[in-house]
Structures are given as structure tokens and as C-alpha cells.
Amino acid sequence: MTDLRSKLVTGAALLSAVLLIAMPHAMAEGNLRYIVEIFCVFAFAQSWNFLAGYVGLMSFGQQLFIGLGAYFVFVLSNRLGLNPFWIVPLAFVFAGTFAALISPLVFRLRDAYFAISIWVIAEIVRLFIAQRDFLGSVSGLPLMATRGMDRSLVAMWTFYLAALLAFLAVFGLYYLSRSRLGLALAAVRDNEGTAASIGINVWWTRFVGFVVGSGFTGAAGAVYYMSVFQVQPGGAFDPNWMVIMLFIVIIGGIGTVEGPIIGTAIYFLLRAFFSGTGNLYLMLLGAAAIAVMMVSAKGIWGVFRDFSGIDILGARRASGFDTHTKS
Amino acid sequence: MTVLAVTNLSRRFGAITVADNLSFEVAQGECLGIIGPNGAGKTSVFNMLTGNVKPEAGRIVLDGKDMTGATAHARTKAGLGRTYQVPQPFGRLTAFENVLAAAVFGGGAGHAAQHRARDVISRTGLKARADKPAESLPLLDRKRLELARAMALRPRLLLLDEIAGGLTEAEVHELVELIQELKPDVAMVWIEHVTHALSAVAERILAINFGAEIASGLPDAVMRDPAVLEIYMGAVLDAPA
Ligand SMILES: Nc1ncnc2c1ncn2[C@@H]1O[C@H](COP(=O)(O)OP(=O)(O)OP(=O)(O)O)[C@@H](O)[C@H]1O
Ligand SMILES: [Mg+2]
């Protein structure tokens, strides 16, 4: 049973990889760009889902890392004339390092205070950038390096980076959640006192989770803004990013890999449907999220999973006892 | 061989004294029972042993090493395992995963941990509900899970906080048998109101009130001690029926 499932997931991962690699060769550039956006938004949402649902850290300021990752790549690439595609992994490191540096401060705060503290830091960083000419101040920065490159090549490599993010956001999260670290994270999330009592270093475990999750947001932020060739502080550090992440995760199902996939699909459908309504659609998102929460805090996938017993990418480790034949 | 040595442990919470110059030792293969009325400070003493509450004075030595200032997880690595009076499971993890986590992080990884977790689940009677989320278990199973999780750590020092409360006579009997099985390998401190279960296992009993020792020694002697009868049993006799 478990063996079959792990083979199924491995098969799905391989199939997805092949499809993703083939995609840019079979698709128009415009569609590709749309998919890049979907993948990036999905990666944002999934990294917040990882923090809130797997690490147990509820941050309301993850736009901080979107902006940091984006600015890191733009500044480094423009200043040093480097190919931005190679810098994306460093955006992970940069955003992760920033998360590591603020951890000693923000980990002293609990719950709502923690959540809001990161939002405050995001605002501070946004204001800092908006006042620095060498960072483009309020009007932001264009991406210089890609101007001289072949258009379709840029589109392809952007797509591959976004595809890698989406792939990791599904299968990376799946394997991470089932690993030894995943078990420690789940224990800390559920009960930190008991986690310490079985020998887990609670602070470090949470720290690693925060750094990895925020680093991933940073890499996704870099790819997102590279795909539109420009970044502005108002957009990159926009709290609306947070609203979108929350919506996707809550509607789809927090603490599940599948939930945000469903949530992302719903988000883009709603956005296409209400595209002419301006800010109204953000309110509709909020209303829809609240409606789902009223029915169940588990979200669409959580309810479906409990109802059907189908759990494909969950982290649950089976005991191996045959619990069904027992009276 | 002495596993735990506590000397002159003291702590107050505001006006309440939960440990008043307490000293005791426990050796491997031995069980020290702790009794005392509600609010006497029994659980608080455990919390100091595990590193969750800081003592104001005193020393805690585990296996010859001073652990007075050590973190909770460091004490676990040094061989300490505990159960909580009010069960504290990892709610969203299954019973099996709760125990597995203890087996994995309490030392010994991979297959050995998996094996140990299964073994402990069987021995504590949790097999039928092994794959249920801990938060969905009834109280009795959660209490079993407390013991299972502590067992999976394979501790040198096992701290049990009222694990027999609420069990039927038959269940208490089973529990006592299980604890007898574990006993040779560990030093044990057991807080318990179910005194006949405690007397069956403990070599010595320490009775405390307001954090202070009021009697200690052989179970029978402590139970018959006038100070204990007056304060501890008296409270029971006076309790409304
Ligand atoms: N962290 C704390 N802060 C303040 N007071 C506390 C704290 N922990 C325990 N107390 C108080 O200390 C006293 C002793 O509590 P403790 O839990 O140690 O008692 P106990 O002997 O285990 O009682 P019981 O038999 O009811 O479990 C109680 O009055 C309790 O309210
Ligand atoms: Mg108690």
C-alpha cells in the first residue's frame, strides 16, 4: 500500500518533469508567460503554506521575501552585468540569510506579534529601497541583462526556473515533509513542549523551517519579477501578495501539498472572471476565503481528503499494523 | 548505581512554594513514588527535572552530570523521558507518528526507530488506533500514548505523572505489569494518587506538601505516617462523597 503510493508519486514526479521540460517547445510565448505567473504565485502560496501549515509559523509579511529576492537579482545583475538566471539560486540564499538574521528578533515574539513583526520589517525595507537612488527609489529598476539576449531564449529559461519552483513546491515539499526534518517540524508545530521533551531542539528546527521557507519565497520573487523585466518597491513589497497567498492556501487547504494547487487554480479562474472589477476582486477573494473557513478550516482539499480517505501527497507515516481487521 | 540525584531543590510561584529544599536520589532498577495532595508541587518538581521550570536553588545531577541549567532537549538526549499529567500529544500526527518521533529523535534512527515504535505501540495497547490522529483519541488512549512516547525514548530516567488515574482495576493491573517490565532498565519516579498501584512498584515513597518533604521511606511506613495520614489521607476522607 505505502510502496504503491511512493511509486505513484515518483512516477508522477518523473512525468511532470518530462512535461515541464517539453512545454516551452510546444507552446506560444504568451501562454508560457501566463504559466510562469501561475507557477510563481503558486510557489509564493506554497512557501507560505509550508511556513504556516508545516512549520507552524504564521507570518503576515512574506511579501518581504518576494521583494528581497527580486531586488537582489536585479541589483546584482545590473551592477555586475551578470546573467540573472544564474543568480536565482543566490536569491534563495540571500532571502534565507535575511530570514536567519531577523530570526533572533522575531522568534522572541509570539503568534499575532510574530505575524505582524515581519509585515513591519517588509514596510521598513520597502521604505528604505524607495528612498535610495541607487536602488531605483520609488520608480524601481529595469532588468538590463536580458535586453541583449535572445527573446525566446529568455522566455524559455524564465519558464524553466518557474517550472523548477513549481516542481519543488509540490514534490520537494512532499519529500521534505516525509523526511526526518519534516517529522521534527510537525512535532514542533503541534506541541513545542513535547517536542523538546523527546529531544528536538525546538528553536533550531523552527529556524531551519523559517530560513528554507523564506528563501524559497525569495527565489520565487526573483523569478516573478525577472519575468516582467522590472521591479518597483510598491509592487514587490505589496501586502496584497500576502492576501493572495492567504486566499490560495486557506481555500485549498492549509498543511497539504494538494490544497494550494487547487487554490491557485481557483485564484486564477476568479481573477480571469472578475478582471474588469479592479479592487473588487480582492474583496471577493476575501469573502470566498471566509466562506470556505466557515464551512471548514481544512479547506477544499482537507475536506475532500477526510471525506474520501484519498491522501496522495500527505506526510502521514503508516504504522504498518493491519488496523482494519481488528475488532 | 545512582541515576538521578536531586539536592536542596527550591522554587516558589509568588506566594506558593512548590519545592522547599527537596533532596532525593533514584538508582537504576528502582522506583521512587511521590505522593501529596493537589497543588503540593509534584508536577512542578518534574518540570524542574525536565528543564521546563527553573529552580531557584538546588542541583539536579543526571548520571553524574550536572543538568541544573541544561535545556529540555539536552536532558532528553542525556537519558530523561517524561509523561505529562495532562496528555500533550502531537495532535495532528497519528499515535504511531507520535511514538516514532520519540524513537527517531530520542536516539536511534531509520529502521531501528520504526521497529521500536511498532514494538512500543503494541506493548501499550495502541495497535488498533495506531494510525489515528492523536487529537482524535479518547483520554485513556492519550494517556497510553504518553507512556508509549516516553518508552520509545528508551530513557535512563523515566518520570511518570499520574498515568494510572482514570483506569479500571484491570487496566491498572496491566499498567503495573508493563511498568514492572520496564523497571530493571531505568530509574523511575512516579507521581500517583492511585496508591495501591504505586505501592506495588515503588521501593520508596516521598510524600510532599507545600513543596516540602513530610515523610519518606518504605511505602507502608509512609502510608501509615501520621503526618501523611493527616494531610494526605485526611484530605481524601474529608472530600465530599
Ligand atoms: N508555571 C506556573 N506559574 C504559576 N503557578 C504555577 C505554575 N505551575 C504550577 N503552579 C502552581 O503551583 C502549585 C503546584 O502545582 P503542581 O502542578 O506542581 O501541583 P501537583 O502537586 O502536581 O498537583 P496535582 O496533584 O493536582 O497534579 C499549584 O498551585 C499551581 O497552580
Ligand atoms: Mg500534578
Side-chain angles (χ1 to χ4, degrees):
Chain A
M1 193 37 201
T2 1
D3 262 7
L4 177 70
R5 187 178 80 159
S6 78
K7 274 183 194 139
L8 223 75
V9 175
T10 313
L14 289 174
L15 188 69
S16 309
V18 170
L19 284 176
L20 289 172
I21 289 169
M23 241 184 208
H25 306 289
M27 230 175 232
E29 211 184 291
N31 291 340
L32 224 48
R33 194 171 293 170
Y34 190 43
I35 294 175
V36 166
E37 190 192 353
I38 293 173
F39 281 175
C40 286
V41 170
F42 171 61
F44 294 158
Q46 198 69 302
S47 62
W48 188 77
N49 177 39
F50 171 67
L51 289 177
Y54 290 78
V55 186
L57 284 174
M58 200 72 84
S59 157
F60 286 163
Q62 287 311 100
Q63 72 272 18
L64 166 64
F65 299 99
I66 295 180
L68 285 174
Y71 267 93
F72 176 79
V73 167
F74 275 61
V75 171
L76 210 64
S77 167
N78 286 356
R79 297 254 140 194
L80 305 177
L82 296 173
N83 181 335
F85 295 106
W86 294 115
I87 311 175
V88 171
L90 290 180
F92 176 92
V93 175
F94 179 75
T97 305
F98 194 94
L101 291 175
I102 63 169
S103 294
L105 182 73
V106 294
F107 280 10
R108 286 166 185 273
L109 306 170
R110 276 283 119 111
D111 306 324
Y113 296 99
F114 171 81
I116 290 164
S117 71
I118 300 176
W119 185 10
V120 170
I121 295 171
E123 285 301 297
I124 293 170
V125 173
R126 182 179 67 78
L127 287 171
F128 177 87
I129 290 175
Q131 287 162 9
R132 294 297 177 290
D133 283 337
F134 74 101
L135 295 173
S137 66
V138 274
S139 51
L141 295 170
L143 190 59
M144 312 289 250
T146 46
R147 286 181 179 173
M149 295 182 191
D150 179 61
R151 247 185 89 102
S152 59
L153 220 58
V154 169
M156 187 177 85
W157 282 110
T158 309
F159 175 83
Y160 279 147
L161 282 174
L164 178 64
L165 290 171
F167 184 85
L168 288 175
V170 174
F171 298 103
L173 180 56
Y174 169 77
Y175 287 109
L176 176 64
S177 70
R178 297 181 63 83
S179 70
R180 190 184 151 97
L181 174 62
L183 187 58
L185 289 170
V188 169
R189 172 200 67 196
D190 280 4
N191 195 320
E192 61 180 275
T194 308
S197 89
I198 62 166
I200 295 173
N201 188 327
V202 170
W203 199 93
W204 272 103
T205 303
R206 208 176 255 153
F207 175 80
V208 170
F210 185 53
V211 167
V212 169
S214 301
F216 193 76
T217 314
V223 175
Y224 179 89
Y225 283 99
M226 279 165 64
S227 77
V228 295
F229 306 114
Q230 56 181 331
V231 62
Q232 278 137 12
F237 295 93
D238 191 345
N240 276 343
W241 278 128
M242 207 50 248
V243 176
I244 294 166
M245 290 187 237
L246 278 166
F247 167 83
I248 290 173
V249 173
I250 288 169
I251 257 210
I254 192 167
T256 69
V257 175
E258 296 92 338
I261 300 176
I262 296 168
T264 303
I266 293 173
Y267 167 71
F268 277 95
L269 284 173
L270 284 180
R271 205 183 68 170
F273 202 70
F274 294 107
S275 58
T277 60
N279 265 341
L280 185 66
Y281 97 88
L282 277 175
M283 281 189 237
L284 285 169
L285 290 190
I290 291 168
V292 168
M293 272 199 290
M294 303 271 264
V295 178
S296 170
K298 289 174 175 172
I300 292 172
W301 181 261
V303 170
F304 171 79
R305 184 192 55 193
D306 290 355
F307 184 74
S308 68
I310 296 172
D311 181 16
I312 308 159
L313 297 168
R316 194 152 286 175
R317 297 151 186 85
S319 68
F321 289 122
D322 189 1
T323 46
H324 297 292
T325 54
K326 193 105 191 216
S327 59
Chain B
M1 181 190 167
T2 304
V3 174
L4 173 71
V6 175
T7 39
N8 305 326
L9 199 67
S10 295
R11 167 82 208 210
R12 281 162 311 184
F13 288 119
I16 305 163
T17 305
V18 291
D20 186 358
N21 215 23
L22 284 176
S23 299
F24 52 87
E25 285 192 1
V26 197
Q28 181 172 339
E30 196 189 20
C31 175
L32 171 70
I34 297 184
I35 61 170
N38 293 114
K42 305 179 295 294
T43 300
S44 299
V45 168
F46 271 15
N47 286 337
M48 282 185 267
L49 297 181
T50 58
N52 296 94
V53 167
K54 271 205 185 86
E56 283 157 353
R59 244 160 68 88
I60 297 161
V61 177
L62 185 57
D63 262 331
K65 270 178 289 180
D66 192 320
M67 285 280 151
T68 315
T71 58
H73 59 89
R75 293 181 205 215
T76 304
K77 298 279 188 210
L80 190 149
R82 81 170 300 181
T83 68
Y84 290 98
Q85 179 178 350
V86 179
Q88 300 284 334
F90 305 120
R92 283 187 263 173
L93 298 182
T94 64
F96 173 72
E97 288 175 313
N98 269 263
V99 177
L100 180 67
V104 167
F105 299 106
H111 235 69
Q114 190 95 9
H115 200 81
R116 179 144 28 107
R118 284 171 56 92
D119 177 52
V120 167
I121 286 276
S122 301
R123 288 173 72 186
T124 48
L126 285 166
K127 227 165 133 173
R129 293 189 191 77
D131 292 309
K132 294 260 187 307
E135 64 192 358
S136 75
L137 297 178
L139 180 65
L140 222 56
D141 283 333
R142 289 192 208 201
K143 295 195 94 163
R144 288 198 175 104
L145 188 54
E146 285 297 315
L147 180 60
R149 200 183 55 234
M151 279 168 65
L153 295 169
R154 280 210 281 200
R156 296 265 304 134
L157 172 65
L158 181 58
L159 307 179
L160 305 173
D161 197 348
E162 297 196 23
I163 51 168
L167 301 189
T168 65
E169 269 313 303
E171 285 166 338
V172 169
H173 186 75
E174 266 177 48
L175 178 70
V176 166
E177 270 183 7
L178 178 57
I179 289 175
Q180 294 284 22
E181 272 175 45
L182 303 175
K183 209 174 150 196
D185 302 319
V186 298
M188 207 182 279
V189 184
W190 185 4
I191 297 171
E192 193 55 80
H193 287 300
V194 183
T195 46
H196 69 275
L198 194 58
S199 303
V201 178
E203 280 81 13
R204 289 177 297 126
I205 284 183
L206 169 66
I208 64 171
N209 197 19
F210 301 114
E213 175 178 326
I214 50 171
S216 78
L218 296 172
D220 283 349
V222 171
M223 299 296 185
R224 268 186 271 113
D225 191 287
V228 174
L229 285 176
E230 188 187 324
I231 294 164
Y232 185 63
M233 302 303 176
V236 174
L237 290 176
D238 292 344

